[in-house]
Amino acid sequence: MATLEIRDLHVTVEADNATKEILKGVDLTVKQGETHAIMGPNGSGKSTLAYSLAGHPKYTVTGGTVTLDGEDVLAMSVDERARAGLFLAMQYPVEVPGVSVSNFLRTSATAVRGEAPKLRTWVKEVKETMERLHMDPSFAERNVNEGFSGGEKKRHEILQLELLKPKIAILDETDSGLDVDALRIVSEGVNRVRETGQVGTLLITHYTRILRYIKPDHVHVFADGRVVESGGPELADKLENEGYEAYVKGGVSA
Amino acid sequence: MAEAQNSPTPVGSTTAGQIAVAAESTVATRMSAPPSFDVADFPVPHGREEEWRFTPLERLRGLHDGTAVAAGQGVKVVVEAPEGVTVETVGRDDARLGKAGTPVDRVAAQAYSAFEQASVVTVPKETQLTEPIRIAVHGEGGAAFGHQVVELGAFAEAVVVIDHTGDAVLAANIDYVLGDGAKLTVVSVQDWDDRAVHVAQHNALVGRDASFKSVVVTFGGDLVRLHPRVTYAGPGGEAELYGLYFTDAGQHQEHRLFVDHSAPHCKSNVAYKGALQGEDAHAVWIGDVLIEARAEGTDTYEMNRNLVLTDGARVDSVPNLEIETGEIVGAGHASATGRFDDEQLFYLMARGIPENEARRLVVRGFFAELVQQIGVQDIEERLLTKIEQELEASVA
Ligand SMILES: Nc1ncnc2c1ncn2[C@@H]1O[C@H](COP(=O)(O)OP(=O)(O)OP(=O)(O)O)[C@@H](O)[C@H]1O
Ligand SMILES: [Mg+2]
């Protein structure tokens, strides 16, 4: 069973000619089949955690370890991590001019699966997955994320999640900017992947709203660069009622 | 009408666009001297002139100041033509030379003043070639001045492929003369060795109801500066000018287009795309379109797009449209220079795609649409292969 283990992870960024520590010792274990919600105020370092796991070059790991089934994730390049089974659905997916969605998906699936998917079954697989996410077939011919609305970008991320079938999926605020219908459609996509039991999910969110659709097994409160409290789903209810006030220095909620 | 850019212009690059409605053309007055066949009519440029300001004069190896002297065999020209085509080598005084246009800068005039022999390729009227005419221009290392004429009689149809390879310091003029209703496609590939310098003016004179298609492909050379120019001899003419360049570290590639809508009811469509990578890669694109007062019914569009793959590369893109009559079908231009940046690379790699393949994917996608427009099957394939090779060579 695939396991992602994060131990005492410290991460810094360079900003305004100064080095700033953002992650200050994160400990977390995510196993295949489990869903962990990470909730925390704005600026607490949730995206930094997500990007650091995916290997974004802006973030420097200064301490700690990350392993996937015992393999050192931090020693892998960005693409190696993806091929090892890590997937990051981004909070702000970027536009890639000149590259069509269909070409992108196929290239990516070929890289992750280690061989080119058979054309006929592939076309069908993409078409059906897009249908379930209520994406118009015309998206396949558009350039990656170019001119996509916020909601369309998120669906496109989940489309990739469904097609790439990672071992560990990190979803960074996949719920933000979605109206209720879109939230439901996107959540159903995530749940289809979860129901296979093959994926461990790290669901990063600021709001409890998405947890009505995607039920977590564990909830972690993230504040000031670390996990400050962990519990079951009931912890989310507490956050819903009380906000992050108790966890934020000076008692000011973000 | 300038189009929005999808990513910010990279540091150091410029894209400026202008649409001027004027009673008199400024395209002509921006040049430091009126067109002339005589090099003596042009002062030696110092680099601040409008038409020279982007060009590193010191790398012209003397083409601009008279110090480049033709020595021995500078370039070897081999013309391979299917049956029915006349290929001649003629002297300076042949009446068919210089009919399509007059040199507009000192180097073109230098070429016209210095060449000794010209090559004239004639496709008789109503002849439709099924095979291309191939002109191989191979640099043997020296300086050379050339003149080439391709003339199509009325309703003739031909494809001409000109390949530039080897090492040379070459200044040349090419005349394309299209009779009424003729159809000419010219593909000019600049696949020079790293040290080559190539400055050329391509003049097309498009006859009544004739169609001219130019595909300019620049990969190699230290400095390449081309002037594709179109004028119309009568109404109903069409010109499509496509260009594709891949500018590597240290290369200067400059394409200066001019379409002179000198007759009514003519069309022009200009689309140039370039990718750049490496330190001091410099691409310059100037797109001048003039719609003269008598050219009512004109339909024109010009577009230039650049994809900057790494830091240190620079693009200057200047579309310029001048309209002297309001009685036109359409006129527009777009210029954009975008960056393939680290965030895009990260996004693709985060989906398992290795770095080199990610770059290839982006560049191939960027050029694909343009390559499809070329419409000559074996050229399309060759270009795609060539782009792959460029990427292999530079990404590795
Ligand atoms: N690339 C960067 N350069 C400079 N500072 C950064 C960078 N990335 C993150 N930070 C800083 O690190 C802190 C944590 O940011 P991060 O985006 O990880 O927070 P977050 O918890 O995801 O917030 P949100 O809920 O708004 O998405 C913030 O103070 C942010 O400004
Ligand atoms: Mg965030």
Side-chain angles (χ1 to χ4, degrees):
Chain A
M1 194 169 54
T3 306
L4 178 75
E5 279 201 59
I6 306 167
R7 287 288 160 267
D8 196 27
L9 187 67
H10 289 256
V11 169
T12 62
V13 293
E14 297 300 320
D16 308 325
N17 295 322
T19 305
K20 189 174 157 199
E21 184 169 62
I22 310 289
L23 299 188
K24 301 171 180 171
V26 178
D27 287 292
L28 197 64
T29 303
V30 182
K31 295 197 170 95
Q32 217 163 15
E34 295 178 350
T35 300
H36 294 246
I38 294 198
M39 307 192 60
N42 291 133
S44 56
K46 304 182 299 292
S47 290
T48 301
L49 174 63
Y51 277 127
S52 302
L53 294 175
H56 195 291
K58 270 201 190 131
Y59 300 91
T60 311
V61 175
T62 53
T65 59
V66 178
T67 58
L68 180 61
D69 298 335
E71 297 282 331
D72 183 0
V73 170
L74 299 178
M76 298 179 199
S77 60
V78 175
D79 51 317
E80 283 169 348
R81 294 179 196 205
R83 294 198 296 272
L86 275 183
F87 178 87
L88 167 61
M90 299 192 201
Q91 185 173 3
Y92 303 108
V94 298
E95 300 183 356
V96 189
V99 179
S100 71
V101 166
S102 73
N103 194 4
F104 164 66
L105 293 176
R106 191 167 163 80
T107 307
S108 160
T110 302
V112 167
R113 295 179 189 182
E115 59 177 357
K118 291 218 170 46
L119 201 57
R120 226 160 45 91
T121 49
W122 170 251
V123 170
K124 189 160 168 269
E125 189 183 347
V126 173
K127 191 171 159 267
E128 288 174 358
T129 314
M130 284 178 74
E131 266 168 25
R132 286 197 296 266
L133 288 167
H134 297 233
M135 290 178 80
D136 192 89
S138 65
F139 272 90
E141 298 320 313
R142 288 175 62 177
N143 288 336
V144 171
N145 292 321
E146 210 174 75
F148 288 20
S149 72
E152 288 163 351
K153 283 182 182 168
K154 296 300 171 71
R155 282 179 220 206
H156 181 230
E157 294 295 287
I158 300 309
L159 171 64
Q160 295 165 56
L161 169 69
E162 290 202 62
L163 293 171
L164 297 180
K165 304 183 176 65
K167 291 179 187 162
I168 302 290
I170 305 153
L171 310 180
D172 190 5
E173 304 221 13
T174 296
D175 53 333
S176 67
L178 297 183
D179 61 28
V180 178
D181 286 338
L183 182 62
R184 187 177 44 77
I185 291 163
V186 159
S187 301
E188 284 168 3
V190 175
N191 286 334
R192 280 193 293 275
V193 177
R194 288 201 315 142
E195 279 155 17
T196 63
Q198 299 298 305
V199 68
T201 308
L202 200 57
L203 185 70
I204 296 174
T205 181
H206 183 79
Y207 304 103
T208 51
R209 191 174 67 135
I210 193 171
L211 304 183
R212 283 176 225 147
Y213 300 93
I214 304 174
K215 298 283 177 212
D217 308 300
H218 306 272
V219 174
H220 309 274
V221 182
F222 205 80
D224 195 25
R226 59 168 76 86
V227 174
V228 292
E229 192 176 344
S230 297
E234 74 289 345
L235 184 52
D237 299 331
K238 184 181 154 208
L239 291 171
E240 168 82 38
N241 297 327
E242 297 171 17
Y244 295 113
E245 222 144 303
Y247 304 101
V248 180
K249 271 187 218 139
V252 182
S253 174
Chain B
M1 269 177 269
E3 221 170 73
Q5 298 162 20
N6 49 33
S7 43
T9 302
V11 180
S13 292
T14 63
T15 111
Q18 178 171 316
I19 297 179
V21 179
E24 210 172 298
S25 166
T26 58
V27 172
T29 53
R30 279 196 286 125
M31 308 295 278
S32 35
S36 166
F37 289 101
D38 187 356
V39 64
D41 290 339
F42 294 90
V44 172
H46 46 70
R48 285 184 302 277
E49 300 81 357
E50 178 58 31
E51 74 268 34
W52 289 109
R53 66 188 177 106
F54 295 116
T55 314
L57 297 179
E58 71 284 359
R59 281 160 64 189
L60 282 171
R61 311 259 289 270
L63 287 176
H64 65 299
D65 61 7
T67 60
V69 177
Q73 196 170 42
V75 298
K76 210 169 87 192
V77 180
V78 178
V79 181
E80 227 182 278
E83 220 170 304
V85 178
T86 315
V87 180
E88 296 161 84
T89 302
V90 303
R92 295 186 49 82
D93 49 3
D94 194 283
R96 291 168 293 179
L97 310 186
K99 279 199 309 198
T102 308
V104 295
D105 67 20
R106 173 146 175 133
V107 175
Q110 176 71 67
Y112 202 90
S113 301
F115 77 89
E116 285 172 4
Q117 288 186 321
S119 158
V120 178
V121 173
T122 314
V123 183
K125 69 173 194 264
E126 290 170 26
T127 306
Q128 301 190 351
L129 302 180
T130 48
E131 285 291 303
I133 299 167
R134 297 185 187 277
I135 304 177
V137 180
H138 186 75
E140 308 273 337
F145 301 97
H147 197 97
Q148 174 75 55
V149 175
V150 176
E151 184 157 1
L152 266 64
F155 302 102
E157 285 182 25
V159 174
V160 178
V161 180
I162 309 177
D163 266 305
H164 299 89
T165 55
D167 179 24
V169 177
L170 173 65
N173 291 284
I174 308 183
D175 291 327
Y176 304 116
V177 182
L178 285 75
D180 292 351
K183 281 194 166 71
L184 174 63
T185 297
V186 181
V187 183
S188 178
V189 182
Q190 287 65 242
D191 195 9
W192 296 105
D193 291 351
D194 288 348
R195 292 178 43 213
V197 174
H198 180 199
V199 182
Q201 185 171 324
H202 300 176
N203 307 301
L205 181 62
V206 180
R208 184 185 183 108
D209 298 325
S211 309
F212 175 63
K213 188 191 277 194
S214 153
V215 182
V216 168
V217 182
T218 304
F219 289 117
D222 173 57
L223 186 155
V224 174
R225 177 177 144 119
L226 303 178
H227 257 153
R229 299 169 68 85
V230 173
T231 24
Y232 299 87
E238 273 187 43
E240 290 170 277
L241 306 180
Y242 298 121
L244 191 158
Y245 45 92
F246 199 114
T247 317
D248 277 324
Q251 288 185 313
H252 178 91
Q253 298 177 343
E254 181 164 349
H255 298 93
R256 310 179 64 91
L257 291 96
F258 178 53
V259 180
D260 181 0
H261 277 276
S262 45
H265 304 291
C266 291
K267 277 188 192 167
S268 64
N269 181 32
V270 178
Y272 268 62
K273 281 188 166 188
L276 295 90
Q277 64 182 2
E279 203 56 41
D280 296 322
H282 189 192
V284 178
W285 184 85
I286 311 291
D288 284 332
V289 173
L290 169 63
I291 304 174
E292 295 189 23
R294 59 187 149 153
E296 74 269 16
T298 292
D299 192 356
T300 176
Y301 192 77
E302 54 168 350
M303 178 277 270
N304 174 232
R305 275 192 209 300
N306 297 285
L307 178 64
V308 176
L309 295 165
T310 66
D311 285 338
R314 176 191 161 101
V315 176
D316 291 288
S317 175
V318 190
N320 182 44
L321 178 57
E322 283 182 29
I323 306 176
E324 294 174 3
T325 172
E327 305 294 306
I328 57 170
V329 175
H333 67 191
S335 161
T337 297
R339 246 205 84 121
F340 178 57
D341 63 19
D342 294 343
E343 295 300 328
Q344 292 165 357
L345 185 61
F346 172 72
Y347 188 78
L348 295 175
M349 287 178 73
R351 299 305 180 243
I353 303 170
E355 177 166 353
N356 286 357
E357 203 179 338
R359 282 189 199 283
R360 269 202 294 276
L361 192 65
V362 168
V363 175
R364 222 187 283 140
F366 176 72
F367 283 126
E369 194 191 347
L370 184 67
V371 171
Q372 280 158 19
Q373 281 178 303
I374 291 170
V376 184
Q377 191 73 40
D378 70 318
I379 298 295
E380 288 180 14
E381 257 143 53
R382 212 179 118 197
L383 285 185
L384 287 172
T385 312
K386 188 68 205 167
I387 291 167
E388 300 283 311
Q389 282 170 2
E390 281 287 317
L391 283 165
E392 300 292 338
S394 43
V395 161

